[in-house]
Amino acid sequence: MDIKEQLKEALVSELNLEDITPTDITDDEPLFGEGLGLDSLDAVELVVLVQRIFGVEIKDMDQGKEAFQSVSSLAKFIEDNRD
């Protein structure tokens, strides 16, 4: 399973997204706002999730803003910052 698929699975299961399956989430769909509809509480959970599952720390809001644009941007952030 690649990083994007892992992220989609984790988003649905860890954030308890109702009526959404991993296959419903497109790689470039915005995670927040009109896209997937995540909110600020989800952002905090997402920071924890990324650190726990992928071992990558999101250190500040600027990093988070850039990384949390979409599944694609988050996967790229994880790939670029993995040990």
Side-chain angles (χ1 to χ4, degrees):
M1 185 180 311
D2 72 4
I3 290 177
K4 289 179 186 178
E5 290 174 17
Q6 285 180 285
L7 282 169
K8 290 175 186 181
E9 292 278 344
L11 285 168
V12 171
S13 64
E14 301 286 328
L15 300 181
N16 300 315
L17 300 180
E18 297 178 13
D19 302 323
I20 295 177
T21 66
T23 55
D24 293 333
I25 303 170
T26 62
D27 291 350
D28 296 316
E29 178 178 12
L31 296 178
F32 294 86
E34 292 182 28
L36 198 53
L38 301 183
D39 61 23
S40 58
L41 291 176
D42 294 320
V44 173
E45 289 186 56
L46 200 48
V47 168
V48 173
L49 178 151
V50 168
Q51 186 166 10
R52 183 170 44 86
I53 295 175
F54 299 100
V56 174
E57 187 176 348
I58 297 171
K59 297 179 178 156
D60 59 46
M61 299 247 318
D62 290 333
Q63 271 189 338
K65 242 182 186 174
E66 188 176 316
F68 293 162
Q69 305 249 339
S70 66
V71 168
S72 290
S73 63
L74 188 50
K76 181 177 179 348
F77 179 84
I78 291 167
E79 288 168 0
D80 292 348
N81 291 281
R82 260 188 166 167
D83 292 334

